[in-house]
């Protein structure tokens, strides 16, 4: 007979979980494994609220295994370190992102691309090597193999820096891989949300000219005056869209809703690159003629491996890049999820787990 989540492992844990497709989260008692020789036990202080947490809680992607404790933008402090762990010690400030495991021996793992490993273990809604479920950062503590734990820079705010562990690496990785880092080149950022606003900041740090592409006219002042974008393009204005055709070297598309790709492809110069990182729940239509006639590229990208995520954190610390956040208590999470569904947050909720998760 299968054991309950509270009885599977020796360490008692507490968090908030969704039990069904309503996505409503409520207090949840479960258990974590004992800290092994290669493990780090972390007291969770802050956890960002990613849009994928909402998708997963409501089973909008179709593979949620309830109960689910979301959260993969975790910042905390080490409380235990196994005897084989040399990189971390008790008291260190650390981060945990989207993944907590992989096979560690395939070609992608050997290239520090654990996020593309066929046996990737996600921080929540996944299965550990022992076939028990993973539970995320909406909880008081977590146990993680040291390979997947990140040093969190001392000069990076732990609350505003937490979303970088997903949002930051999601835009940083494709910028590096697709060569979207050459100073003076023109980057378009489609969508000004949790991913998009960080893309603007990282793009400017790389020395790019950055234009925010949005269907919301009210975001122009926010994009230019607050976030530092060079310009704003209203995608719902056909005349402005036409005038901007063929002006951008790259576009990073962060939009998670179903949308047309043709206008974005049209904005690219010859040899331009459109990289999508949003995850709409339905397929997008891809027009081929403008790709062929303009020798343009459409690509995609998933987060990044542990090495690159550490590189991103250090880059953001150097350039003073954090996410714009609204800090919330754990018991506000269901209201926060409703607001995320309405795009009513600028630009990321972060749960003050250490000060508000009470049993």
């Amino acid at each position: 007979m299968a054991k309950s989540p509270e009885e599977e492992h020796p360490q008692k844990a507490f968090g908030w979980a969704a039990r069904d497709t309503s996505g409503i989260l409520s207090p949840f008692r479960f258990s974590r494994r004992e800290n092994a020789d290669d493990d780090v036990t972390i007291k969770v202080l802050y956890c960002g609220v990613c849009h994928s947490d909402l998708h997963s809680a409501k089973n909008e992607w179709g593979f949620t295994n309830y109960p689910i404790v979301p959260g993969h933008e975790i910042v905390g402090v080490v409380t235990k370190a196994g005897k084989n762990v040399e990189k971390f010690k008790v008291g260190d400030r650390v981060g945990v992102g989207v993944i907590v495991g992989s096979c560690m021996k395939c070609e992608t793992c050997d290239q520090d691309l654990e996020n593309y490993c066929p046996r990737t273990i996600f921080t929540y809604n996944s299965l550990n090597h022992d076939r028990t479920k993973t539970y995320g950062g909406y909880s008081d503590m977590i146990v993680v193999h040291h390979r997947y734990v990140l040093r969190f820079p001392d000069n990076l705010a732990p609350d505003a820096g937490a979303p970088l562990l997903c949002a930051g690496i999601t835009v940083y990785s494709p910028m590096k891989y697709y060569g979207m880092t050459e100073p003076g080149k023109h980057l378009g950022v489609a969508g000004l949300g949790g991913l998009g606003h960080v893309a603007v900041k990282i793009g400017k740090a790389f020395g790019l000219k950055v234009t925010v592409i949005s269907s919301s006219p009210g975001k122009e002042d926010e994009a230019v005056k607050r976030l530092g974008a060079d310009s704003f393009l209203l995608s719902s204005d056909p005349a402005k869209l036409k005038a901007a055709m063929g002006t951008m070297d790259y576009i990073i598309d962060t939009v998670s809703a179903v949308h047309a790709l043709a206008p974005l492809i049209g904005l690219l110069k010859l040899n331009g690159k459109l990289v999508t990182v949003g995850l709409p729940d339905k397929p997008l239509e891809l027009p081929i003629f403008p790709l062929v006639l303009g020798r343009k590229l459409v690509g995609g990208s998933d987060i990044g491996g542990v090495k690159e995520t550490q590189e991103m954190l250090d880059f953001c610390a150097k350039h003073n890049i954090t996410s714009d956040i609204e800090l919330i208590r754990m018991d506000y999470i269901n209201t926060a999820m409703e607001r995320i569904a309405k795009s009513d947050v600028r630009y990321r909720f972060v749960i003050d787990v250490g000060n508000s998760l009470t049993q």
Side-chain angles (χ1 to χ4, degrees):
M1 182 175 177
K3 293 183 178 180
S4 71
E6 194 173 3
E7 298 172 325
E8 282 183 325
H9 298 296
Q11 295 203 81
K12 300 302 180 185
F14 179 71
W16 278 48
R19 274 84 165 182
D20 55 44
T21 56
S22 70
I24 300 297
L25 292 112
S26 58
F28 177 64
R29 297 182 188 279
F30 62 108
S31 58
R32 302 282 195 189
R33 70 177 183 267
E34 193 55 78
N35 196 91
D37 292 346
D38 293 314
D39 287 337
V40 174
T41 297
I42 301 162
K43 177 183 178 181
V44 179
L45 299 179
Y46 299 99
C47 187
V49 182
C50 179
H51 203 287
S52 59
D53 296 348
L54 175 61
H55 286 307
S56 298
K58 289 181 171 289
N59 195 28
E60 291 176 345
W61 289 331
F63 48 79
T64 298
N65 180 16
Y66 295 104
I68 179 175
V69 177
H72 57 207
E73 299 174 345
I74 303 165
V75 177
V77 293
V78 176
T79 59
K80 293 180 186 177
K83 68 178 184 180
N84 295 336
V85 178
E86 299 179 354
K87 191 175 178 181
F88 306 104
K89 64 183 185 303
V90 172
D92 284 352
R93 190 166 70 171
V94 294
V96 177
V98 180
I99 60 174
V100 293
S102 64
C103 77
M104 295 191 279
K105 54 190 178 184
C106 69
E107 183 177 358
T108 54
C109 286
D110 287 344
Q111 296 178 64
D112 297 308
L113 297 171
E114 302 95 340
N115 53 307
Y116 295 112
C117 172
R119 294 176 61 193
T120 293
I121 299 172
F122 295 101
T123 305
Y124 66 85
N125 196 40
S126 194
L127 291 177
N128 282 304
H129 293 300
D130 64 2
R131 307 307 292 172
T132 60
K133 285 175 59 175
T134 60
Y135 296 106
Y138 295 10
S139 60
D140 55 0
M141 53 88 75
I142 190 169
V143 182
V144 182
H145 188 287
H146 69 90
R147 174 172 177 155
Y148 309 94
V149 179
L150 299 139
R151 289 179 293 99
F152 202 85
D154 290 336
N155 63 328
L156 204 56
D159 50 0
L164 297 175
L165 292 159
C166 175
I169 188 60
T170 297
V171 295
Y172 181 89
S173 183
M175 286 184 186
K176 290 297 295 288
Y177 178 76
Y178 288 100
M180 303 161 71
T181 59
E182 189 177 344
K185 294 288 188 177
H186 191 178
L187 170 70
V189 176
L192 192 63
L195 296 177
H197 89 287
V198 176
V200 171
K201 296 181 180 185
I202 292 177
K204 291 302 297 179
F206 279 131
L208 300 170
K209 175 185 175 182
V210 179
T211 295
V212 169
I213 306 163
S214 174
S215 60
S216 304
K219 291 188 175 181
E220 182 168 2
D221 280 354
E222 187 84 7
V224 177
K225 295 180 180 178
R226 182 175 173 184
L227 297 175
D230 296 281
S231 57
F232 179 87
L233 177 60
L234 187 63
S235 60
S236 55
D237 185 326
K240 290 184 178 179
L241 206 60
K242 183 177 180 181
M245 300 295 268
T247 62
M248 299 180 187
D249 298 287
Y250 330 112
I251 295 174
I252 187 160
D253 183 0
T254 72
V255 179
S256 59
V258 175
H259 60 288
L261 293 179
L264 297 179
I265 294 170
L267 293 171
L268 292 172
K269 296 178 180 178
L270 176 70
N271 300 323
K273 301 174 184 178
L274 168 64
V275 180
T276 63
V277 294
L279 292 171
D281 57 4
K282 295 180 181 178
L284 303 183
E285 184 175 314
L286 180 63
I288 299 302
F289 267 83
L291 295 184
V292 172
L293 299 179
R295 200 166 66 179
K296 299 174 183 180
L297 179 150
V298 174
S301 179
D302 187 24
I303 52 167
V306 177
K307 182 179 179 180
E308 189 174 48
T309 304
Q310 186 67 62
E311 177 187 309
M312 177 276 305
L313 285 175
D314 295 339
F315 178 89
C316 288
K318 178 181 179 181
H319 294 278
N320 195 30
I321 295 172
T322 55
S323 179
D324 290 15
I325 68 165
E326 183 176 330
L327 193 64
I328 63 171
R329 293 179 56 82
M330 188 73 248
D331 57 13
Y332 187 78
I333 187 61
N334 290 308
T335 302
M337 290 294 195
E338 292 175 3
R339 288 178 56 190
I340 288 173
K342 300 173 184 176
S343 299
D344 179 25
V345 57
R346 293 192 176 179
Y347 285 95
R348 205 66 149 194
F349 288 115
V350 173
I351 306 167
D352 186 357
V353 176
N355 291 314
S356 68
L357 182 61
T358 56
Q359 300 192 38

